[in-house]
Amino acid sequence: FPVTIYSYLIYSFPEKYSSNSYMDNYKLSIVNRSSKKRIIEVNDNYWGNWEITGSSHSYKKKNANTLVFSVALEPNETLNVTYKIKTDR
């Protein structure tokens, strides 16, 4: 495949003020193995009430369940996107 996306859960921990809230930290490694510049859109789905509390790149909350990152990658480039998400489960 010309583009590969690796998703890593860096760590997850319960929030101190609520037994149903979690703060998760993710890293997406996006690799463009092609010889052309590519615009890559990464969609990730979350359930419940969630919000992004920090991100290395801009994002959109497409709907109640979908987080979208859109990034441009040069040929043979690897880009890391990190973000923190607070979820009430």
Side-chain angles (χ1 to χ4, degrees), residues 57-86:
H57 292 76
S58 60
Y59 63 90
K60 291 181 183 179
K61 189 171 183 176
K62 186 175 183 179
N63 56 43
N65 299 326
T66 309
L67 171 66
V68 179
F69 289 97
S70 184
V71 294
L73 277 85
E74 295 295 328
N76 299 308
E77 181 182 8
T78 298
L79 179 70
N80 292 317
V81 175
T82 58
Y83 63 97
K84 296 179 184 180
I85 183 168
K86 179 181 170 278

Side-chain angles (χ1 to χ4, degrees), residues 1 3 10 17 21-23 27 29 32 35 37-38 42 46 48 59 61 64 66 72 75-76 79 81 86:
F1 295 101
V3 175
I10 305 301
Y17 59 85
S21 293
Y22 291 84
M23 184 70 71
K27 174 182 167 183
S29 288
N32 180 9
S35 59
K37 182 177 180 175
R38 305 242 181 202
V42 181
Y46 294 97
Y59 63 90
K61 189 171 183 176
T66 309
N76 299 308
L79 179 70
V81 175
K86 179 181 170 278

Side-chain angles (χ1 to χ4, degrees), residues 37-49:
K37 182 177 180 175
R38 305 242 181 202
I39 305 296
I40 309 301
E41 186 175 280
V42 181
N43 292 275
D44 217 346
N45 293 314
Y46 294 97
W47 308 107
N49 294 322

Side-chain angles (χ1 to χ4, degrees), residues 5-22:
I5 301 170
Y6 303 96
S7 179
Y8 305 97
L9 175 62
I10 305 301
Y11 58 88
S12 178
F13 57 92
E15 287 288 282
K16 294 179 182 177
Y17 59 85
S18 172
S19 62
N20 292 329
S21 293
Y22 291 84

